[in-house]
């Protein structure tokens, strides 16, 4: 969204998705705790973020999460992702 950067950090020892606000420098944890989360992309209105989340080695789901953190919803998974 050009106001922030999405990044995956392993600082805690496991992959977690963060947002860094360019203006304030504030870092905010959005999701994590299970499976690698990569490739974040904001929705056009900035309220959601689509990411690929590894659910098992070699098996990922495309999930949508609230840009403020919290709720995660699976959009596509398993064999639907090529």
């Amino acid at each position: 969204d050009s106001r922030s950067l999405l990044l995956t950090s392993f600082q805690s020892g496991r992959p977690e998705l963060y947002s860094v606000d360019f203006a304030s420098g504030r870092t905010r944890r959005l999701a994590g705790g299970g499976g690698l989360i990569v490739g974040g992309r904001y929705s056009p209105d900035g309220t959601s973020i689509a990411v690929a989340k590894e659910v098992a080695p070699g098996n990922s789901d495309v999930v949508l999460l609230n840009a403020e953190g919290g709720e995660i919803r699976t959009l596509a998974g398993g064999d639907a992702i090529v």
Side-chain angles (χ1 to χ4, degrees), residues 5-75:
L5 170 74
L6 295 173
L7 63 94
T8 300
S9 171
F10 290 83
Q11 186 173 355
S12 70
R14 59 182 197 252
E16 297 180 317
L17 183 68
Y18 288 86
S19 172
V20 180
D21 182 90
F22 290 131
S24 68
R26 180 175 161 236
T27 301
R28 196 165 37 98
R29 181 183 174 275
L30 299 174
L36 181 61
I37 299 173
V38 296
R41 174 74 64 136
Y42 279 96
S43 63
D45 66 5
T47 62
S48 301
I49 301 167
V51 297
K53 180 174 181 174
E54 185 179 60
V55 293
N59 188 8
S60 295
D61 288 349
V62 174
V63 300
L64 190 68
L65 50 116
N66 184 307
E68 296 301 315
E71 180 184 346
I72 296 177
R73 184 176 60 141
T74 301
L75 297 178

